[in-house]
């Protein structure tokens, strides 16, 4: 079945470091991918919609200069947390739907997530 | 704006019980509803996807129903096992094509 690979699974780094997270669709092309953030015991909050070949669409309250998204190919989207601070520590998850764009009959497939810890 | 609520927030049951997890949503104009499982510190695993035109889906011991008009879905787990312990999330996709998640039901099945 369709698989989404997310890397790295865990990052621990110092405050001020920039961290890049990759999300790959392994056996399908995804023109749209979603990036979510999850706080402990909370639901997934959508951060942005990553669109292949164009700018990402950010949700209200998400700083686009802080969370840089690049979707340069149909199988790869990256999220870069720039100059990370302790309050950016969280669980970040990407998702993608197989087929072209987001179709009503296609399920969303999720990566395994990235646990980001900023010291 | 779509809002998704899951009840109960937490559930602890002995092994072997049949369970019902509830998910409700405020905007019935949806394309599909998806149930996921999340283990601690892990990503999401898709369990069942129900299209808006469908009433239910089954996979093994899992059965998910959808009543779009009332904005409700249930996930039925038959003969629960300790390995079923996890957080169960439902997500609704509507006109924006973006899944909206509930906060999940944390399930513990003890031997």
């Amino acid at each position: 079945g369709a698989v989404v690979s997310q890397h790295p699974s865990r990052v621990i780094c110092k405050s001020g470091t920039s961290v890049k997270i990759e999300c790959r669709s392994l056996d399908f092309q995804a023109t749209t991918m979603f990036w979510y953030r999850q706080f402990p015991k909370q639901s997934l909050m959508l951060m942005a919609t990553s669109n292949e070949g164009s700018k990402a669409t950010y949700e209200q309250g998400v700083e686009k200069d802080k969370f840089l998204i690049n979707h340069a190919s149909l199988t790869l989207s990256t999220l870069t947390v720039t100059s990370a601070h302790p309050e950016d520590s969280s669980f970040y998850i990407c998702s993608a739907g197989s087929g072209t764009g987001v179709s009503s009959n296609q399920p969303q497939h999720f990566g395994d997530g990235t646990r980001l810890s900023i010291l | 704006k779509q809002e998704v609520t899951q009840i109960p927030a937490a559930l602890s049951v002995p092994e072997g019980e049949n369970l019902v997890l509830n998910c409700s949503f405020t905007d019935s104009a949806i394309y599909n509803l998806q149930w996921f499982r999340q283990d601690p510190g892990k990503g999401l695993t898709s369990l069942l996807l129900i299209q808006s035109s469908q009433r239910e889906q089954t996979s093994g011991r899992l059965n998910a129903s959808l009543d779009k008009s009332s904005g409700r879905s249930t996930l039925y787990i038959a003969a629960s096992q300790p390995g079923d312990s996890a957080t169960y999330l439902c997500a609704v996709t509507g006109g924006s094509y973006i899944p909206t998640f509930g906060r999940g039901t944390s399930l513990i099945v003890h031997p």
Side-chain angles (χ1 to χ4, degrees):
Chain A
V3 176
V4 173
S5 173
Q6 189 172 338
H7 178 81
S9 59
R10 182 166 182 115
V11 180
I12 302 173
C13 57
K14 294 181 179 180
S15 183
T17 306
S18 291
V19 178
K20 179 185 284 188
I21 304 170
E22 293 187 348
C23 182
R24 293 181 185 273
S25 55
L26 296 184
D27 57 2
F28 65 96
Q29 294 181 332
T31 56
T32 303
M33 293 184 177
F34 300 112
W35 287 97
Y36 294 85
R37 182 173 181 175
Q38 186 180 36
F39 292 102
K41 299 188 184 300
Q42 299 292 318
S43 186
L44 278 72
M45 299 301 296
L46 181 68
M47 298 175 65
T49 302
S50 174
N51 304 297
E52 188 270 334
S54 64
K55 292 182 179 180
T57 304
Y58 290 83
E59 294 300 298
Q60 191 173 7
V62 178
E63 300 175 59
K64 62 180 181 180
D65 294 330
K66 174 74 169 178
F67 299 99
L68 300 178
I69 292 173
N70 184 282
H71 195 154
S73 77
L74 287 171
T75 59
L76 174 65
S77 175
T78 61
L79 168 68
T80 300
V81 184
T82 61
S83 187
H85 289 93
E87 59 265 29
D88 298 323
S89 299
S90 191
F91 193 56
Y92 294 86
I93 307 177
C94 69
S95 76
S98 55
T100 302
V102 180
S103 172
S104 65
N105 63 354
Q106 300 298 328
Q108 283 291 306
H109 299 281
F110 284 79
D112 281 341
T114 297
R115 174 75 58 192
L116 177 61
S117 300
I118 307 299
L119 306 178
Chain B
K1 181 183 176 184
Q2 180 73 272
E3 293 184 7
V4 180
T5 303
Q6 289 187 246
I7 295 173
L11 189 60
S12 180
V13 300
E15 182 176 7
E17 278 203 10
N18 300 323
L19 310 171
V20 176
L21 308 181
N22 298 290
C23 173
S24 62
F25 46 95
T26 54
D27 185 351
S28 61
I30 66 169
Y31 288 121
N32 63 52
L33 184 146
Q34 199 166 353
W35 281 94
F36 296 89
R37 169 185 174 139
Q38 185 178 29
D39 292 292
K42 301 291 185 181
L44 276 67
T45 300
S46 178
L47 298 174
L48 291 164
L49 171 71
I50 310 177
Q51 306 296 341
S52 61
S53 59
Q54 298 174 326
R55 298 283 294 183
E56 66 176 346
Q57 284 287 333
T58 299
S59 175
R61 293 184 293 110
L62 304 178
N63 176 277
S65 67
L66 174 64
D67 184 343
K68 207 172 72 163
S69 61
S70 67
R72 296 177 186 277
S73 175
T74 61
L75 178 66
Y76 177 81
I77 303 176
S80 59
Q81 304 171 356
D84 295 330
S85 299
T87 296
Y88 291 82
L89 294 156
C90 75
V92 173
T93 300
S96 68
Y97 296 108
I98 300 171
T100 300
F101 284 84
R103 299 183 102 180
T105 293
S106 177
L107 172 65
I108 297 176
V109 181
H110 48 86

